[in-house]
Amino acid sequence: MEKSWKILIVDDKQSFINQVTNYLSDFAHRNKILAPPLCATEPGAASFLLKENPDIALVLLDIVMTERDSGLKLVTYARDTLRYRNMQIILMTGESFNDEEKIIEKYQVNGYIRKAHIGEGESFETTVKTKLDTYDHLLKNEQLAERYKEELKQFKTSLRCEAEYIMGKGNAIGRVLNEVEKIADCDFPILFEGETGTGKEEIVRYMHKISKRKNQKFFPVNCATIKIELAESILFGHEKGAFTGADSTRIGLLENTGNGMILLDEINSLPFEIQGKLLRTLQENTIVRMGGTEEIKINVRIIGAGNKPFGILVEQGAFREDLFERFVRIIRIPSLRERSEDINHLIDRFLAEETEKMGKKVLISAEAREILLCHKWKRNARQLMNVITNLIIDVEQNQNAEYIIRPAHVFHYLKEADNGQILENMLSSVKDYSLETALNKTKKEALLRALKETNGSDKKAIELLQIDKNTYYSYKRIFNIRWDTETNNAI
């Protein structure tokens, strides 16, 4: 196979360059090297050729030219300034040095040849061939590394998109994902805190998927569901005979996770004595099974999570302060109320997922969506998903055989004490300039004006508004309008 290796010969004597070129000509012919050698007789010209030809495979370089160390300065320029790591550099000298090995190591050169030996036997040709093969090998490895790096980047990008699909793309959750990406490959223990339903487990799963432990186990454990008397055995394991009924040795979750990652959700639910044992595990990276004495080395990454701020839990005596201090960082997951920019995405996600499960094509009106956007989701995304699921279950077909979630459905399901406040939030939102919202505000104002004009008479208001009775009462219910005929004002 034809090659096009580039070889640079640098020497201050043109006659010597011609000699080396002649020696290489036969070699080039036999190995089908198409590119003729590049040549330079002084450092400036050599520097130019190096900069303009980053694909030079081999440099045959004279050490002593205009200055005694001219050649070594060129090596430094190629390695440190231009950062050519794959390029093979062989030093040529007519003098004898006693510190050849030191020079080779210090300047990252790949060989040393006496000028007098060039052309003698096959040693020179063998050296050249070996270095060119080495260059090919390094170049191939570099290309494979770049390809792997690009594939890894694409893989992580796809995982980020997956996480954003689950959590949303808003700035608040984006900052959490960015922080998780920074610490994913670290081994230190982390605490996550956030209200129930904010997605702590999903975030930790994302961290595991992008970490160096991604091919190892991931165990999420809800500590609040573990019986107190079984907590030590479940987490640390037990030896045979450790307690009544312990008929065999059991490996605990911390040991069984191997080199993976374990999430101890509601970690503050663990009894204080178990928290103390966990503290020793974090300090020593060892566990002792219940009823045993042997310290067993483990390499699991421990992640804790809770639905209350850990600082407050420590103050309340619900979480050991010394254990709290062993966790290097706390990452807080914001509530859905703090990232309202994600609600619209989550509505679409839950609609798509739940309608697919039920095999039911359901749409949502703009007004109904706006009500969901303005609701204060006290139980976060989990509550929103439950509402969407129930709306899909309950919605009925209209005369056009369509399933459309309307505002009345949403208000009915949310069972708000003051639906009017939600609507007021929706209509007065300075961030919402949609035509739909403007129309809603106009409709509400029209109903209020008509009722004011007719002293609260529904029949006369309907005539003034020139709409049918069903539409009128639907709007009145949606906008939560109640009228006091004595004061002739809305209540």
Side-chain angles (χ1 to χ4, degrees), residues 104 233 292 324 375 390 446 470:
I104 288 174
S233 173
F324 173 72
H375 183 64
N390 279 281
N470 290 336

Side-chain angles (χ1 to χ4, degrees), residues 269-328:
S269 300
L270 294 173
F272 253 52
E273 58 269 26
I274 304 302
Q275 291 185 26
K277 194 166 183 178
L278 187 60
L279 170 63
R280 181 166 181 81
T281 296
L282 290 174
Q283 290 172 334
E284 308 295 336
N285 290 322
T286 60
I287 58 108
V288 177
R289 293 177 190 149
M290 187 178 179
T293 57
E294 179 189 359
E295 288 194 344
I296 302 170
K297 200 76 175 174
I298 61 172
N299 185 35
V300 60
R301 186 176 184 187
I302 299 174
I303 306 297
N307 59 18
K308 294 180 181 178
F310 281 95
I312 294 177
L313 290 171
V314 170
E315 291 177 1
Q316 294 175 344
F319 195 61
R320 291 182 61 131
E321 186 173 6
D322 49 3
L323 178 58
F324 173 72
E325 295 297 336
R326 289 303 304 176
F327 287 90
V328 174

